[in-house]
Amino acid sequence: EHSQALLSGPIFRYWNRSVVAAAYLYLGAVDDALEHVSMAAKEQPRDHFLKGMIEGNHFVATALAGRADAEGLISALLPWLPVAGRRNVEGAYVALEALATGLAVIGDREGLARLYPLTLAGVQTNRVLQTSVIGPSTSQLAAALAADAAGLHDQAREHFEIALRQAHEVPIRILQPT
């Protein structure tokens, strides 16, 4: 309700709409969630520091909803992923976390495994929580999923344990059951 009320304001409507979409998804109102993510994509500015967030959330929400068209949304997300060796905007890391979660949900272990080097770059930013990710996810959880898919079991366990510790210490209540 709070996030929906913010939609009447002129600032960051696309971000607020993404938060509304996440709430709807968690409440099981899948069609409403997907409608809000789609609207957020239309409302976002052409160039902004969260570019990639909406594309990532659209993909992961569609994957979590079990929709067959989820895989077709990946191509719109790929240009916004972080690029190794350069500074990246916040949205690039949101997109990365969403992509990792979505690939895990749809069972694309090969694609997920290829993300591991990028997820390590995400971990190295020392970001702990991004509130804009539908998922839920963190950089450590994304790295854990990618490492597991790559067969890097020791690294996966370490990332999972850090993600679990962060979920309880920060706390990140929505991540605790995950």
Side-chain angles (χ1 to χ4, degrees):
E1 289 174 357
H2 176 75
S3 296
Q4 261 186 318
L6 293 175
L7 289 178
S8 63
I11 301 174
F12 294 116
R13 284 181 53 85
Y14 66 97
W15 185 84
N16 292 325
R17 192 167 300 285
S18 191
V19 173
V20 170
Y24 273 129
L25 190 66
Y26 297 151
L27 291 170
V30 173
D31 291 334
D32 290 332
L34 295 178
E35 180 181 336
H36 277 280
V37 171
S38 180
M39 290 171 67
K42 293 173 188 165
E43 291 176 355
Q44 71 178 324
R46 281 182 357 119
D47 190 27
H48 57 93
F49 73 102
L50 289 172
K51 189 65 180 168
M53 174 192 77
I54 300 299
E55 294 79 4
N57 283 343
H58 193 187
F59 167 62
V60 75
T62 306
L64 286 166
R67 301 291 169 91
D69 59 339
E71 198 168 342
L73 299 172
I74 295 172
S75 62
L77 170 58
L78 295 178
W80 307 114
L81 293 177
V83 176
R86 77 159 200 212
R87 290 184 179 192
N88 294 282
V89 296
E90 178 67 11
Y93 294 105
V94 177
L96 178 61
E97 291 175 20
L99 180 59
T101 301
L103 290 175
V105 169
I106 66 172
D108 184 351
R109 293 184 60 79
E110 187 177 307
L112 186 54
R114 285 193 303 268
L115 288 182
Y116 186 59
L118 273 182
T119 63
L120 284 179
V123 166
Q124 291 168 353
T125 66
N126 291 319
R127 292 168 59 256
V128 176
L129 175 64
Q130 172 41 263
T131 59
S132 304
V133 178
I134 293 176
S137 188
T138 65
S139 57
Q140 288 288 350
L141 184 54
L145 294 170
D148 180 67
L152 304 170
H153 303 293
D154 291 340
Q155 292 92 327
R157 177 175 286 288
E158 182 179 343
H159 292 299
F160 276 122
E161 288 176 357
I162 293 169
L164 178 63
R165 189 177 72 244
Q166 289 174 344
H168 289 283
E169 289 177 357
V170 170
I172 310 169
R173 296 201 196 291
I174 192 125
L175 191 59
Q176 291 172 1
T178 303

